[in-house]
Amino acid sequence: GQQVMQIPQYQHVQEGEDFTTYCNSSTTLSNIQWYKQRPGGHPVFLIQLVKSGEVKKQKRLTFQFGEAKKNSSLHITATQTTDVGTYFCAGDSGGYQKVTFGIGTKLQVIP
Amino acid sequence: DAGITQSPRYKITETGRQVTLMCHQTWSHSYMFWYRQDLGHGLRLIYYSAAADITDKGEVPDGYVVSRSKTENFPLTLESATRSQTSVYFCASNQGGGYTFGSGTRLTVV
């Protein structure tokens, strides 16, 4: 079945440093979604990317979808303590029931 | 989000007991899902439903049963709880775009 690999699993950064998490799918995706889960909380939807090569920004967050629609990345510029949490990608290969989540990247920001 | 509610928030049960986790959504979303979250495994799909009376297995369905007689409710039942089912369970709904998750149920099987 479809697999979605996400790296790194953990990342510690100093406040103000940049952070990137990467997601790779074993199959071509129709879209990819990104979620953030704060410690003790539930995953919260951030964004969906649909088009090949798409880049979207949300303030300090930049999301990219690869040209082959098999990989994606989330980049955070100048991290803040409010960015702490686990970031998940979720790949959709063509139907709502086929979203597969990556294992997540747990981000710690050291003040 | 206030539109999808899970209960209970916390549950401790004994091995072998039947347990039902509740999920209720107020948007009439067609699709609903049950995930479990465990360290080292991320979010794994247990069951999903495309509409009332339509359900299907996900990645880890063994030991679980679901029903969906009404669009807004999607209960998950552990028929005979085992320690390996100790986990955090999330219900989610979707109507295009991203999923909306409930606050989760932390289940401990002793």
Side-chain angles (χ1 to χ4, degrees):
Chain A
Q2 180 190 3
Q3 289 187 330
V4 175
M5 282 74 70
Q6 191 173 353
I7 56 168
Q9 239 182 296
Y10 303 95
Q11 184 84 60
H12 290 205
V13 299
Q14 288 287 142
E15 188 173 16
E17 291 182 339
D18 293 356
F19 158 77
T20 305
T21 174
Y22 301 90
C23 195
N24 286 285
S25 170
S26 57
T27 60
T28 302
L29 301 170
S30 60
N31 68 71
I32 194 155
Q33 301 165 10
W34 285 92
Y35 295 79
K36 177 183 179 181
Q37 184 177 20
R38 295 182 185 275
H42 57 276
V44 174
F45 174 68
L46 294 176
I47 206 162
Q48 177 173 282
L49 305 173
V50 179
K51 298 177 185 175
S52 169
E54 189 170 14
V55 178
K56 285 189 176 180
K57 292 191 176 185
Q58 289 180 351
K59 296 183 181 177
R60 294 179 294 104
L61 278 60
T62 302
F63 304 86
Q64 293 190 330
F65 200 10
E67 294 290 341
K69 301 184 74 173
K70 294 181 77 172
N71 58 66
S72 181
S73 64
L74 158 59
H75 179 83
I76 302 178
T77 303
T79 54
Q80 300 174 358
T81 54
T82 53
D83 296 324
V84 163
T86 301
Y87 293 84
F88 292 95
C89 62
D92 183 350
S93 61
Y96 298 139
Q97 67 272 27
K98 294 197 185 296
V99 169
T100 301
F101 282 81
I103 201 166
T105 296
K106 187 173 182 178
L107 173 64
Q108 277 279 53
V109 179
I110 305 161
Chain B
D1 286 15
I4 187 162
T5 307
Q6 290 185 239
S7 61
R9 287 298 310 273
Y10 303 92
K11 176 76 177 177
I12 300 174
T13 192
E14 294 177 341
T15 303
R17 293 216 183 236
Q18 184 180 82
V19 178
T20 296
L21 310 184
M22 305 302 292
C23 180
H24 174 80
Q25 54 123 341
T26 57
W27 299 299
S28 298
H29 285 172
S30 295
Y31 286 87
M32 295 188 76
F33 309 84
W34 274 105
Y35 285 88
R36 60 177 291 174
Q37 185 172 39
D38 306 286
L39 266 176
H41 291 280
L43 290 152
R44 292 182 291 175
L45 181 63
I46 305 170
Y47 269 95
Y48 63 95
S49 169
D53 297 322
I54 301 175
T55 63
D56 208 346
K57 296 178 181 179
E59 182 186 353
V60 289
D62 292 346
Y64 303 96
V65 173
V66 293
S67 62
R68 195 162 176 210
S69 56
K70 293 184 178 181
T71 300
E72 61 266 30
N73 295 323
F74 191 39
L76 175 74
T77 298
L78 288 67
E79 296 181 293
S80 177
T82 65
R83 289 200 179 92
S84 65
Q85 292 177 310
T86 292
S87 185
V88 179
Y89 291 85
F90 288 104
C91 177
S93 72
N94 175 284
Q95 192 71 32
Y99 289 12
T100 301
F101 284 84
S103 298
T105 294
R106 184 174 293 274
L107 176 68
T108 302
V109 183
V110 297

